Amino acid sequence: MSKTHPSLSAIKYALLVVPVLDCATSPAGWAAPLCPEHPVSGQTAACRKQAEEVVVRSRNASFVVSSSLSRLSGAVLKERHLDTLGDVAERLPNVSFTSTTQANPVIIMRGLGGAEDEGSTLYVPFVLDGIPMMSLALGQIFDLDHMDVTQGPELTKGPNAFGGMVLATSRDPGNKFGGSLDFEYGTGNRRRAVMSNDIPLGPNTALRVTVGGEVADGYVSNRFLDRKDTAGWHSWFGRLKLLHKDSAGGEWRVSLHHVLNHGGNDYFTSPALALQHESVNTERGVNDNDYWAGSAQYHRMFSRKMIVDVALGGNATQWKSQIPESVFSARTGFTMPTRQAGGTVTLSGSSGTLDWRGGIFGQEMMRDTPYLFDMSPYYMSNTTAVLNNANVAGFAELVWRFSPSWRLVPSFRVEHNQWSMSRWSGLQTASMPDAYSLLEKLPKQTASRTVPLPGLKLEYHPQTDSGVMQFGWLSYTRAYMPPGFNPHAVMAATAQTPFDASYGNNLEVGYRLHDRKDKWSAEIIGYSNLISNLQVLASNANGESVVATAAKAHTRGMELNATFKPVSTLTLSGFLGLTYAGYDRFVFGGQNFSGQQLNGTPKSSFGLSGTWTPGDGWSVNISMVRRGRTNLYPSSTLVNDPYVLVDAQIEKKWRWWNIAIYGRNLADARYLTRGLATGEAVAANPRLLGLRVGMTY
């Protein structure tokens, strides 16, 4: 059974404890060894006929995952009203985000992330049902079984991850007809409805249908237009998911996902007005997202020596953004369609003292990147470009259990990236005070790189039947971010010069303890990442927004997590995150940034949470998170002072019905999520209060 605490920090420990009647074995990688039907001499003790706890390394066994992993169950996401990746990020240690609008957060982990606005490679890829997604335009997250947030580089989980990875798994259909219906109403005139239905189609086949919609005025009062809905949105979202279990033991999952969001873009204003959630912009602006995604997954365990996992699919996104003209005294915006397709094939197994895993990953992405900045008659620039990335990688990992309590885990990844930029053009014109026109074009530009990426882990997991469960690790991982181009550069010389690849050397040490009676758990993780050619969003002397590279940078810090259950009805949790992420050598545009902290990264964050379930269908949860002082991304001239987020919910459940009163940011903390060198800023949402009424059937 899976032990997943509903409290915010306890989701760090999704401990998979499997009661096995015929076999007691040590943890054995991705496949738990099976006992033979007639054990030979010496196997009797290992296959005694009694129930025992066996920790199995699988996609659900986060206790024995040698990295910082936060698991959020679907129930936690719903109870905490974490509706976007930004909501999730700022409630976890050493995770943050930057955002220009409500629906477009960019995740930053341990100081790494943010340049995705200009480049096309994600520091922190988002994977839904096994398929990498365009998270910049994702919008709503809904009807998930769970979400895993992993910090640190990843080599063997499909896409390459420089700073970390977010893996989301949608909820499987059930084998009985039923469903749920939820209605919400909250501040900002927010109205939300979601309906999910499980429909059996046969003894081994079922379909899950989820549809929903949300309408909100937003949280900005525009004094110039005398409107309160200029940052509002209305969205529709849905998913079809088919699950089929064939006679050979294979599991087939096919899902189709769609989000359609139309909204205003009245977010940028002066910091003083932004913190009051006010605006004097003369237009509402546009922020529209249309997102389609589909995936097909296959899983089959042929034997303990061979397990097959396949995930194939893709997504198509169109993001339209137009900032109100009064923000920059110019018309500015873009319509950016993106197409991605690819997948992962993984084989794994176990034999004797060895467990192994290997596979291939491939993906192709194509994105149109036009950008208009028009303050005619004084100046106008209009750039167009098409980016294409073909990415192929092979990876392998071997687990050698050289003693009952120790494992050595070497891993290796070979990655090839082929970037191209075609149809680039840059038009610059003006008629006042002097008339001129400059049109530049470039032929197709290409950049490619093939890199080997090694990793090595030493894991300690003592096998005892009493006391606490323990797991420790020491790891080294070579990290990599591919080179690329600046499609929004207005000068041909800048556009045709690719920025450099980034490399990191990441060291991590961690130790976990978990009481076998599920009374408490604790974890401590320390890390250090030395980086060369770190990709950073910056503005050059021509005023172009480009990806520059800091010659040397580093991130180091630690994470502490703990849970305690003094009684069966009360769970208390806490976390502490410390990060120092800074430039060691970075000179750009005549400025020396060496010694400065990376933007968008608080040096400290800590949180406390509690969940009380007194019985009779009642539950109460409350959480508090304090975020430290932060230089805003991408500008270092604007700073967030420390702030505290307080969330709470009271819920009552009956057999068919449930009702909940909730609040987010109850202390009404005022802080910014984006800041530009020109002085404009975007504020986070104010206090949110709401009521949810649900029905299950």
Side-chain angles (χ1 to χ4, degrees):
M1 58 183 174
S2 178
K3 299 284 188 183
T4 305
H5 300 301
S7 58
L8 181 62
S9 186
I11 54 183
K12 296 285 293 184
Y13 308 100
L15 173 63
L16 185 67
V17 182
V18 184
V20 180
L21 297 179
D22 297 324
C23 178
T25 63
S26 61
W30 299 272
L34 304 177
C35 291
E37 185 177 356
H38 303 290
V40 298
S41 175
Q43 290 181 318
T44 305
C47 296
R48 55 191 182 271
K49 301 229 179 235
Q50 62 184 35
E52 298 198 32
E53 291 179 335
V54 179
V55 179
V56 181
R57 179 194 290 263
S58 74
R59 63 181 180 179
N60 295 322
S62 59
F63 184 78
V64 289
V65 171
S66 48
S67 60
S68 179
L69 174 66
S70 300
R71 165 156 293 191
L72 291 86
S73 69
V76 166
L77 292 168
K78 183 176 179 180
E79 290 168 4
R80 307 292 181 181
H81 301 275
L82 306 179
D83 301 323
T84 71
L85 292 179
D87 296 335
V88 172
E90 61 182 345
R91 288 163 175 85
L92 295 174
N94 290 338
V95 184
S96 55
F97 78 104
T98 178
S99 180
T100 58
T101 71
Q102 183 267 347
N104 307 110
V106 177
I107 304 300
I108 301 173
M109 289 187 178
R110 296 176 174 175
L112 300 177
E116 291 87 340
D117 284 17
E118 297 296 327
S120 301
T121 302
L122 299 177
Y123 277 88
V124 182
F126 179 82
V127 179
L128 175 62
D129 288 344
I131 303 302
M133 310 292 282
M134 166 59 174
S135 59
L136 280 175
L138 182 66
Q140 301 289 332
I141 53 176
F142 61 94
D143 198 38
L144 297 181
D145 180 80
H146 64 272
M147 177 187 291
D148 288 340
V149 181
T150 303
Q151 298 193 55
E154 287 285 352
L155 301 180
T156 63
K157 291 186 178 178
N160 179 43
F162 190 85
M165 184 180 294
V166 180
L167 298 173
T169 301
S170 63
R171 189 171 172 180
D172 281 341
N175 57 8
K176 295 182 180 180
F177 181 83
S180 63
L181 183 62
D182 288 296
F183 296 95
E184 289 186 37
Y185 182 80
T187 50
N189 200 24
R190 179 176 179 266
R191 293 145 287 166
R192 179 183 174 97
V194 183
M195 182 176 67
S196 298
N197 287 279
D198 294 329
I199 306 171
L201 302 178
N204 300 312
T205 308
L207 177 69
R208 184 171 179 83
V209 181
T210 300
V211 294
E214 181 173 291
V215 180
D217 291 345
Y219 311 104
V220 173
S221 295
N222 188 300
R223 300 192 313 208
F224 182 88
L225 298 175
D226 193 24
R227 291 174 58 177
K228 295 184 177 181
D229 62 350
T230 53
W233 66 90
H234 59 275
S235 63
W236 301 97
F237 47 90
R239 182 183 297 116
L240 299 175
K241 187 171 186 180
L242 180 73
L243 171 62
H244 173 69
K245 299 181 180 180
D246 60 35
S247 58
E251 296 180 356
W252 301 80
R253 290 172 172 85
V254 179
S255 60
L256 179 65
H257 170 107
H258 185 215
V259 174
L260 179 63
N261 181 82
H262 292 273
N265 208 347
D266 192 8
Y267 294 94
F268 280 102
T269 186
S270 68
L273 285 176
L275 290 172
Q276 297 302 316
H277 299 99
E278 294 182 351
S279 166
V280 291
N281 286 316
T282 56
E283 303 89 20
R284 179 172 182 259
V286 176
N287 184 60
D288 295 346
N289 301 280
D290 190 355
Y291 203 135
W292 287 92
S295 73
Q297 298 171 277
Y298 177 71
H299 169 80
R300 182 178 174 184
M301 181 175 179
F302 291 88
S303 69
R304 69 185 181 91
K305 295 184 178 181
M306 181 61 71
I307 301 173
V308 176
D309 285 282
V310 180
L312 302 172
N315 63 80
T317 305
Q318 180 158 295
W319 179 14
K320 182 178 182 180
S321 175
Q322 293 180 358
I323 297 175
E325 185 172 345
S326 52
V327 173
F328 301 113
S329 299
R331 291 190 303 120
T332 180
F334 56 83
T335 298
M336 185 174 68
T338 302
R339 304 290 183 268
Q340 291 176 288
T344 307
V345 178
T346 305
L347 303 177
S348 57
S350 178
S351 178
T353 60
L354 297 178
D355 308 320
W356 58 274
R357 186 184 193 207
I360 57 173
F361 168 78
Q363 177 180 275
E364 184 169 13
M365 183 277 297
M366 180 174 289
R367 176 182 299 169
D368 286 324
T369 59
Y371 195 84
L372 172 68
F373 185 87
D374 185 1
M375 52 187 306
S376 298
Y378 305 102
Y379 176 77
M380 188 271 284
S381 71
N382 188 15
T383 61
T384 64
V386 176
L387 289 177
N388 182 270
N389 175 31
N391 178 18
V392 179
F395 54 85
E397 188 171 74
L398 182 69
V399 180
W400 176 32
R401 287 173 278 116
F402 60 89
S403 81
S405 299
W406 292 89
R407 298 194 290 258
L408 189 65
V409 188
S411 59
F412 192 72
R413 181 184 184 96
V414 177
E415 174 141 345
H416 175 75
N417 291 92
Q418 180 75 40
W419 277 103
S420 69
M421 182 178 69
S422 58
R423 288 185 276 174
W424 183 89
S425 67
L427 173 64
Q428 299 181 75
T429 64
S431 57
M432 292 180 61
D434 297 309
Y436 73 92
S437 180
L438 175 64
L439 174 63
E440 295 182 290
K441 294 185 178 182
L442 288 174
K444 184 177 181 179
Q445 306 291 307
T446 61
S448 64
R449 190 70 56 90
T450 301
V451 295
L453 301 172
L456 183 65
K457 302 174 186 176
L458 180 65
E459 301 177 349
Y460 173 66
H461 187 39
Q463 302 303 297
T464 60
D465 295 332
S466 60
V468 299
M469 300 179 64
Q470 303 176 61
F471 181 74
W473 71 94
L474 174 65
S475 68
Y476 163 78
T477 307
R478 177 71 164 168
Y480 161 76
M481 279 273 288
F485 294 94
N486 287 295
H488 298 146
V490 298
M491 304 294 292
T494 308
Q496 68 182 348
T497 304
F499 51 83
D500 294 329
S502 299
Y503 295 93
N505 293 288
N506 187 75
L507 291 173
E508 186 169 302
V509 59
Y511 208 82
R512 296 191 181 106
L513 300 171
H514 192 101
D515 176 54
R516 288 182 179 272
K517 295 183 179 180
D518 202 26
K519 292 292 186 180
W520 59 271
S521 62
E523 173 188 75
I524 181 170
I525 298 172
Y527 67 90
S528 177
N529 197 354
L530 302 178
I531 307 166
S532 59
N533 295 332
L534 178 66
Q535 296 170 13
V536 181
L537 184 61
S539 296
N540 64 16
N542 296 323
E544 300 171 292
S545 183
V546 298
V547 176
T549 53
K552 297 291 182 183
H554 71 272
T555 68
R556 59 175 179 262
M558 63 182 299
E559 288 124 28
L560 299 171
N561 295 275
T563 65
F564 177 55
K565 296 182 69 174
V567 295
S568 60
T569 58
L570 178 64
T571 301
L572 303 175
S573 305
F575 73 76
L576 170 66
L578 301 174
T579 293
Y580 181 73
Y583 301 114
D584 298 316
R585 191 166 75 248
F586 182 31
V587 179
F588 182 78
Q591 284 187 278
N592 189 350
F593 297 93
S594 303
Q596 291 191 17
Q597 186 176 357
L598 301 185
N599 295 329
T601 304
K603 288 186 177 180
S604 66
S605 59
F606 70 83
L608 298 171
S609 64
T611 298
W612 180 42
T613 54
D616 197 27
W618 286 96
S619 66
V620 180
N621 62 65
I622 184 169
S623 68
M624 182 276 293
V625 176
R626 183 188 185 275
R627 313 282 290 182
R629 187 177 185 272
T630 310
N631 298 331
L632 289 186
Y633 196 95
S635 170
S636 59
T637 61
L638 296 175
V639 177
N640 267 332
D641 291 327
Y643 60 90
V644 176
L645 297 174
V646 180
D647 304 332
Q649 176 178 283
I650 300 175
E651 184 175 26
K652 167 65 175 175
K653 293 182 179 180
W654 294 271
R655 182 178 181 184
W656 305 107
W657 296 89
N658 63 84
I659 186 169
I661 300 173
Y662 65 88
R664 268 200 344 225
N665 189 13
L666 288 173
D668 200 23
R670 303 295 176 99
Y671 59 101
L672 304 171
T673 63
R674 190 81 167 184
L676 300 183
T678 52
E680 290 79 12
V682 175
N685 292 337
R687 179 190 296 118
L688 305 180
L689 302 174
L691 172 70
R692 186 183 75 240
V693 177
M695 178 182 67
T696 58
Y697 51 88

Short mmCIF file of all heavy atoms in Angstrom, two decimals, residues 622-646:
data_model
loop_
_atom_site.label_atom_id
_atom_site.label_comp_id
_atom_site.label_asym_id
_atom_site.label_seq_id
_atom_site.Cartn_x
_atom_site.Cartn_y
_atom_site.Cartn_z
N ILE A 622 -3.84 23.35 7.53
CA ILE A 622 -3.30 24.70 7.48
C ILE A 622 -1.81 24.61 7.20
O ILE A 622 -1.14 23.68 7.66
CB ILE A 622 -3.57 25.47 8.80
CG1 ILE A 622 -3.09 26.93 8.67
CG2 ILE A 622 -2.93 24.76 9.99
CD1 ILE A 622 -3.55 27.81 9.82
N SER A 623 -1.29 25.53 6.42
CA SER A 623 0.13 25.55 6.11
C SER A 623 0.63 26.99 6.07
O SER A 623 -0.12 27.92 5.76
CB SER A 623 0.41 24.86 4.77
OG SER A 623 -0.13 25.61 3.70
N MET A 624 1.90 27.14 6.40
CA MET A 624 2.57 28.44 6.39
C MET A 624 3.93 28.27 5.74
O MET A 624 4.68 27.36 6.08
CB MET A 624 2.71 28.97 7.81
CG MET A 624 3.36 30.36 7.90
SD MET A 624 5.19 30.30 7.89
CE MET A 624 5.52 29.50 9.42
N VAL A 625 4.24 29.12 4.78
CA VAL A 625 5.52 29.10 4.08
C VAL A 625 6.10 30.51 4.10
O VAL A 625 5.42 31.48 3.76
CB VAL A 625 5.38 28.61 2.63
CG1 VAL A 625 6.71 28.70 1.90
CG2 VAL A 625 4.83 27.20 2.58
N ARG A 626 7.36 30.60 4.51
CA ARG A 626 8.06 31.89 4.46
C ARG A 626 9.13 31.83 3.38
O ARG A 626 9.97 30.92 3.36
CB ARG A 626 8.72 32.22 5.80
CG ARG A 626 9.40 33.61 5.80
CD ARG A 626 10.20 33.82 7.07
NE ARG A 626 10.76 35.18 7.15
CZ ARG A 626 11.90 35.56 6.61
NH1 ARG A 626 12.65 34.68 5.93
NH2 ARG A 626 12.33 36.81 6.75
N ARG A 627 9.11 32.80 2.49
CA ARG A 627 10.08 32.90 1.41
C ARG A 627 11.02 34.07 1.69
O ARG A 627 10.58 35.16 2.05
CB ARG A 627 9.38 33.13 0.07
CG ARG A 627 8.19 32.22 -0.19
CD ARG A 627 8.62 30.85 -0.61
NE ARG A 627 9.21 30.86 -1.94
CZ ARG A 627 9.64 29.76 -2.56
NH1 ARG A 627 9.53 28.58 -1.97
NH2 ARG A 627 10.16 29.83 -3.76
N GLY A 628 12.32 33.85 1.51
CA GLY A 628 13.30 34.87 1.81
C GLY A 628 13.40 35.94 0.75
O GLY A 628 12.72 35.93 -0.28
N ARG A 629 14.29 36.89 1.00
CA ARG A 629 14.51 38.02 0.10
C ARG A 629 14.96 37.52 -1.27
O ARG A 629 15.79 36.63 -1.38
CB ARG A 629 15.56 38.94 0.69
CG ARG A 629 15.78 40.25 -0.06
CD ARG A 629 16.81 41.09 0.70
NE ARG A 629 16.97 42.40 0.08
CZ ARG A 629 17.83 42.66 -0.90
NH1 ARG A 629 18.60 41.68 -1.37
NH2 ARG A 629 17.93 43.87 -1.40
N THR A 630 14.42 38.12 -2.34
CA THR A 630 14.64 37.61 -3.69
C THR A 630 14.86 38.76 -4.67
O THR A 630 14.08 39.72 -4.70
CB THR A 630 13.44 36.78 -4.18
OG1 THR A 630 13.08 35.83 -3.19
CG2 THR A 630 13.76 36.07 -5.47
N ASN A 631 15.91 38.65 -5.49
CA ASN A 631 16.03 39.52 -6.65
C ASN A 631 15.11 39.00 -7.74
O ASN A 631 15.12 37.82 -8.06
CB ASN A 631 17.47 39.53 -7.17
CG ASN A 631 18.46 40.06 -6.15
OD1 ASN A 631 18.11 40.88 -5.31
ND2 ASN A 631 19.68 39.58 -6.22
N LEU A 632 14.30 39.89 -8.30
CA LEU A 632 13.32 39.45 -9.28
C LEU A 632 13.98 39.03 -10.59
O LEU A 632 15.04 39.55 -10.97
CB LEU A 632 12.30 40.55 -9.57
CG LEU A 632 11.31 40.85 -8.44
CD1 LEU A 632 10.29 41.86 -8.92
CD2 LEU A 632 10.62 39.60 -7.96
N TYR A 633 13.35 38.10 -11.26
CA TYR A 633 13.81 37.66 -12.58
C TYR A 633 13.03 38.44 -13.63
O TYR A 633 11.80 38.58 -13.50
CB TYR A 633 13.54 36.15 -12.75
CG TYR A 633 14.33 35.56 -13.90
CD1 TYR A 633 15.56 34.96 -13.69
CD2 TYR A 633 13.86 35.66 -15.20
CE1 TYR A 633 16.30 34.46 -14.74
CE2 TYR A 633 14.60 35.17 -16.25
CZ TYR A 633 15.81 34.57 -16.01
OH TYR A 633 16.55 34.08 -17.06
N PRO A 634 13.64 38.90 -14.72
CA PRO A 634 15.08 38.83 -15.02
C PRO A 634 15.87 40.03 -14.53
O PRO A 634 17.08 40.08 -14.71
CB PRO A 634 15.09 38.78 -16.54
CG PRO A 634 13.92 39.62 -16.94
CD PRO A 634 12.88 39.39 -15.88
N SER A 635 15.21 41.03 -13.91
CA SER A 635 15.91 42.23 -13.48
C SER A 635 16.41 42.07 -12.05
O SER A 635 15.69 41.57 -11.18
CB SER A 635 14.95 43.44 -13.53
OG SER A 635 15.53 44.55 -12.91
N SER A 636 17.65 42.48 -11.80
CA SER A 636 18.18 42.44 -10.44
C SER A 636 17.99 43.77 -9.72
O SER A 636 18.43 43.93 -8.58
CB SER A 636 19.67 42.09 -10.48
OG SER A 636 20.38 43.06 -11.23
N THR A 637 17.34 44.74 -10.36
CA THR A 637 17.14 46.04 -9.73
C THR A 637 15.89 46.07 -8.86
O THR A 637 15.73 46.98 -8.05
CB THR A 637 17.03 47.15 -10.80
OG1 THR A 637 15.90 46.87 -11.65
CG2 THR A 637 18.29 47.19 -11.65
N LEU A 638 14.99 45.10 -9.01
CA LEU A 638 13.79 45.01 -8.19
C LEU A 638 13.92 43.83 -7.25
O LEU A 638 14.37 42.75 -7.64
CB LEU A 638 12.54 44.85 -9.07
CG LEU A 638 12.22 46.03 -10.00
CD1 LEU A 638 11.04 45.69 -10.89
CD2 LEU A 638 11.94 47.29 -9.20
N VAL A 639 13.50 44.02 -6.01
CA VAL A 639 13.72 43.03 -4.97
C VAL A 639 12.43 42.78 -4.22
O VAL A 639 11.68 43.71 -3.90
CB VAL A 639 14.81 43.49 -3.99
CG1 VAL A 639 14.98 42.50 -2.85
CG2 VAL A 639 16.14 43.69 -4.71
N ASN A 640 12.15 41.49 -3.96
CA ASN A 640 11.07 41.12 -3.05
C ASN A 640 11.61 41.01 -1.64
O ASN A 640 12.59 40.30 -1.40
CB ASN A 640 10.47 39.75 -3.44
CG ASN A 640 9.30 39.87 -4.37
OD1 ASN A 640 8.58 40.87 -4.37
ND2 ASN A 640 9.09 38.85 -5.18
N ASP A 641 11.00 41.69 -0.70
CA ASP A 641 11.30 41.45 0.69
C ASP A 641 10.71 40.11 1.11
O ASP A 641 9.84 39.56 0.42
CB ASP A 641 10.72 42.57 1.56
CG ASP A 641 11.44 43.90 1.34
OD1 ASP A 641 12.66 43.87 1.08
OD2 ASP A 641 10.78 44.95 1.41
N PRO A 642 11.18 39.53 2.23
CA PRO A 642 10.60 38.26 2.68
C PRO A 642 9.08 38.37 2.86
O PRO A 642 8.55 39.43 3.23
CB PRO A 642 11.29 38.03 4.03
CG PRO A 642 12.58 38.78 3.91
CD PRO A 642 12.27 39.99 3.08
N TYR A 643 8.38 37.29 2.55
CA TYR A 643 6.94 37.27 2.72
C TYR A 643 6.49 35.90 3.20
O TYR A 643 7.21 34.91 3.10
CB TYR A 643 6.22 37.65 1.42
CG TYR A 643 6.49 36.74 0.24
CD1 TYR A 643 5.68 35.63 0.00
CD2 TYR A 643 7.53 36.99 -0.64
CE1 TYR A 643 5.91 34.79 -1.08
CE2 TYR A 643 7.77 36.16 -1.72
CZ TYR A 643 6.96 35.06 -1.94
OH TYR A 643 7.19 34.24 -3.00
N VAL A 644 5.28 35.86 3.74
CA VAL A 644 4.73 34.64 4.33
C VAL A 644 3.40 34.31 3.65
O VAL A 644 2.54 35.18 3.50
CB VAL A 644 4.51 34.80 5.85
CG1 VAL A 644 3.85 33.56 6.43
CG2 VAL A 644 5.83 35.08 6.55
N LEU A 645 3.27 33.06 3.22
CA LEU A 645 2.03 32.56 2.64
C LEU A 645 1.34 31.65 3.65
O LEU A 645 1.95 30.72 4.17
CB LEU A 645 2.31 31.78 1.35
CG LEU A 645 2.93 32.55 0.20
CD1 LEU A 645 3.29 31.60 -0.94
CD2 LEU A 645 1.99 33.63 -0.30
N VAL A 646 0.08 31.92 3.92
CA VAL A 646 -0.71 31.10 4.83
C VAL A 646 -1.92 30.57 4.07
O VAL A 646 -2.69 31.35 3.49
CB VAL A 646 -1.18 31.90 6.06
CG1 VAL A 646 -2.01 31.02 6.99
CG2 VAL A 646 0.02 32.47 6.82
#
